[in-house]
Amino acid sequence: MLVVSVYRYNPEKDSAPYMQEFNIDTKGADLMVLDVLHLVKEQDNTFAYRRSCREGVCGSDGMNMNGKNGLACITPLSEVVTGGKLVIRPLPGLPVIRDLVVDMSLFYKQYERIKPYLLNDTPAPAIERLQAPEERDKLDGLYECILCACCSTSCPSFWWNPDKFVGPSGLLQAYRFLIDSRDTQTRERLAELDDPFSVFRCRGIMNCVSVCPKGLNPTKAIGHIRDMLLRNAT
Amino acid sequence: MVTNVTNFGRSGLSDWLLQRFSAVVLALYSVFIVGYFLTTSDLDYAQWSAFFQQTWVRIFTFLSILSIAAHAWIGLWTISTDYIKPTGIRFVFQAVCNLALFTYVVWGVQVLWGA
Ligand code: SF4
Ligand code: SF4
Ligand code: FES
């Protein structure tokens, strides 16, 4: 028997959030946390959470499992359960809409702010803008981000200033467009980031790196952005 | 671009650079002054005073005082914008920090070039 303690909050009827315990029979299998949530929902169908692909692709089931952010669908119990207990909470720092469902507006706003699309002011070619294999290689480790928000919601700097600090996820994407050989707005993009909050609020503690389910490294990308700002300005 | 007027330099980059630069100055000064204590036996007032009569020691010390002020200002400003959300209280905190640091700098000049 696995004791699963889940965060419950329905603002329409609860005056405050509370933790609710469920006893789940896993039949000895090393289930994924998401499977366990389905079993919880079988016991109480008012329990709400997001999920879609159930294979680590869509990024919709980011949550806090025994204190660490991750995707429930690709996190086996053996990786997180200690002492037969599993504590599930919503991603920290974002407003809770209901149970594990959080309001991601600020997270998306920061993503939107870095203009996550190619900007190119040269005439469009007949077919497509070509890129050398080496130029394309620079995007590896950046484009794979699925915007699950596990990183940004484990970052203290993002907790304190989610409206001003872009956060690890947004900055990883900012760098993805800064080094794309097909983008011509590098200077404008950099100028947009050169204030004390957007990039420089990163304190380099690497919480983001330790939780990214895709194994990406936002801290490294942030370091590259800082180097670009420095080279641009000195 | 997030606008603000209370940070030290005008850009995040200049604050960041200054924070690094001042940290290096402070590290060097710490090694220097500890080294002086370790290599000087029976230090008395006359020796200490003569040491600070040298122009380069005064300049290095003053640079360190300025570094402390800049380093502390950037650091405390950052802390205040992280943890103090009400604007009024944050502003007062920043003003008090500024005033204290300014006082230290002026006082430092007085000590170094006074007597
Ligand atoms: S390294 Fe930077 S972005 Fe990553 S968690 Fe730490 S402060 Fe946040
Ligand atoms: S960088 Fe990793 S943790 Fe952050 S949003 Fe992208 S995939 Fe998720
Ligand atoms: S359900 Fe899509 S990433 Fe987990």
Side-chain angles (χ1 to χ4, degrees), chain B residues 63-85:
Chain B
L63 180 66
S64 303
I65 293 174
L66 288 181
S67 294
I68 289 181
H71 198 88
W73 172 234
I74 297 168
L76 289 166
W77 178 83
T78 305
I79 292 170
S80 72
T81 50
D82 266 354
Y83 299 112
I84 311 179
K85 292 303 170 191

Side-chain angles (χ1 to χ4, degrees), chain A residues 20-128:
Chain A
Q20 186 180 4
E21 285 201 353
F22 294 88
N23 288 310
I24 301 295
D25 184 8
T26 58
K27 302 198 173 67
D30 188 14
L31 300 176
M32 294 296 173
V33 173
L34 185 64
D35 300 326
V36 174
L37 295 184
H38 290 324
L39 296 173
V40 169
K41 201 172 171 75
E42 270 174 19
Q43 291 185 22
D44 179 349
N45 64 13
T46 64
F47 176 48
Y49 55 92
R50 289 191 179 112
R51 51 85 74 193
S52 178
C53 70
R54 57 104 191 98
E55 55 182 9
V57 172
C58 70
S60 55
D61 63 344
M63 59 187 69
N64 189 279
M65 301 166 282
N66 275 359
K68 192 172 176 188
N69 289 356
L71 296 174
C73 60
I74 53 167
T75 305
L77 288 177
S78 55
E79 211 175 86
V80 282
V81 172
T82 44
K85 186 157 184 184
L86 178 62
V87 181
I88 303 285
R89 292 171 180 277
L91 289 175
L94 295 177
V96 172
I97 295 172
R98 178 169 165 171
D99 298 341
L100 302 184
V101 179
V102 289
D103 180 353
M104 310 258 289
S105 309
L106 274 172
F107 176 79
Y108 292 135
K109 221 172 123 191
Q110 293 297 352
Y111 179 56
E112 193 184 353
R113 224 189 93 192
I114 61 103
K115 303 206 173 84
Y117 36 82
L118 285 176
L119 292 167
N120 193 316
D121 52 16
T122 59
I127 304 176
E128 59 189 327

Side-chain angles (χ1 to χ4, degrees), chain A residues 160-161 164 191-192 194-196 198 200-201 203 226 229 233, chain B residues 1-2 4 7 11-13 16-17 77-78 81-83 85:
Chain A
W160 309 146
N161 290 293
K164 300 193 184 87
E192 189 54 38
D194 186 17
D195 61 77
S198 305
F200 289 98
R201 206 32 80 101
R203 304 258 77 95
R226 233 168 8 216
L229 282 165
Chain B
M1 183 73 133
V2 179
N4 52 129
N7 65 312
S11 80
L13 185 67
W16 183 80
L17 257 186
W77 178 83
T78 305
T81 50
D82 266 354
Y83 299 112
K85 292 303 170 191

